[in-house]
Amino acid sequence: MNKRIATVQVVENIHAINDAQAEKLRARLDAAGVHGINLMSAPGSGKTTLIEATLRGLAGELAVAVIDGDIATTIDADRAAAAGAVAAVQINTGGNCHLEANMLAPALDRLDLAAIDLLIVENVGNLICPANFAIGTHHNVVIASAPEGWDKPYKYPGIFTGADVVLVTKWDAADFFEFDLERFSTGVRALNRDVMILPLSAKTGEGMDAWLGWLTKNDKEQVTKAI
Ligand code: MG
Ligand code: ZN
C-alpha cells in the first residue's frame, strides 16, 4: 500500500466530515436569523480589542454573541462579556491550533440563538490552518495588523483567498511601523480581487464606522465608498 496516498485520503475525509458538520451549524444559524462571522488572524493582531470596540459600537443596535477559540484560558470570552456581549462562550481547543465545526456545536447549544442577531467567532490566533476548516459561519473576516507588516498576503495566501473582508487593525500605528498599504492591497487583490480592505483603529475609532456599517447593513457598496 502506498503510504502517501493513504495519508491524503485521510485528510480529504477530515475535511469532508468537517464541511458536513459546518453545513449543519449554518442551517441552525439561518433558521434563527443569526449572521455568523469567523474572525481570523495571527496572535496579537487585536482581534479581541476589535471585538470589544465592535460590541460597544453595536450596543442597542444588534444583539451580539461571541464564541472565543483559544488553546487555553477564558481571558477573551471574559473580555467580550465585559464589553457587552449578550453571551460569550469560550472554547478551549486543548492544543489544537484552529477551530473545527465539531467544536462549535456544543458552544451553539449554550446560546439562545433566537435572541442573537450577530455571532462573532474569534478563531485561534493563526494565519494558516483556520482557513481550511469551515465552522458554519457566513463570512470570513481576516485581520492583519499594521505592526505585522505588508507582506502577510504574500506569505499566507490561503487565508486571504477565502476572506470576505480584510481588516488592517492598529491603523493608528501604521506610520510608525511603515506599513505599506499599497503593497499589502496589491497582494490581497492578486488573490481575491473584489474583497473589501478596511484599515481601522479600535483605539482612535478611525474606520470603525465602515466596519460597523458592514456588520449592520452588509452593504458592500456603502462600505467601499466610506473608505
Ligand atoms: Mg484574542
Ligand atoms: Zn491548526
Side-chain angles (χ1 to χ4, degrees), residues 15-78:
H15 282 115
I17 291 165
N18 184 73
D19 285 349
Q21 287 168 332
E23 280 308 312
K24 283 185 192 162
L25 297 180
R26 189 188 295 211
R28 284 175 69 180
L29 297 181
D30 286 341
V34 177
H35 177 207
I37 66 167
N38 180 9
L39 207 53
M40 296 177 281
S41 78
S45 65
K47 281 192 300 302
T48 311
T49 301
L50 176 68
I51 288 172
E52 289 173 321
T54 301
L55 287 163
R56 288 192 294 268
L58 294 176
E61 253 187 286
L62 293 182
V64 186
V66 178
I67 295 177
D68 276 291
D70 271 307
I71 288 171
T73 79
T74 62
I75 292 171
D76 285 359
D78 294 343

Side-chain angles (χ1 to χ4, degrees), residues 105-173:
L108 287 193
D109 292 341
R110 293 176 55 187
L111 297 174
D112 177 9
L113 293 179
I116 294 164
D117 303 310
L118 173 67
L119 172 65
I120 299 175
V121 182
E122 180 180 355
N123 215 311
V124 181
N126 178 350
L127 282 174
I128 306 164
C129 40
N132 299 325
F133 290 88
I135 54 171
T137 44
H138 301 90
H139 292 105
N140 290 331
V141 176
V142 174
I143 295 178
S145 66
E148 291 172 70
W150 55 267
D151 57 359
K152 292 297 162 291
Y154 300 90
K155 290 185 175 176
Y156 305 99
I159 205 157
F160 289 93
T161 301
D164 297 296
V165 179
V166 174
L167 302 178
V168 183
T169 52
K170 307 188 188 181
W171 188 243
D172 53 290

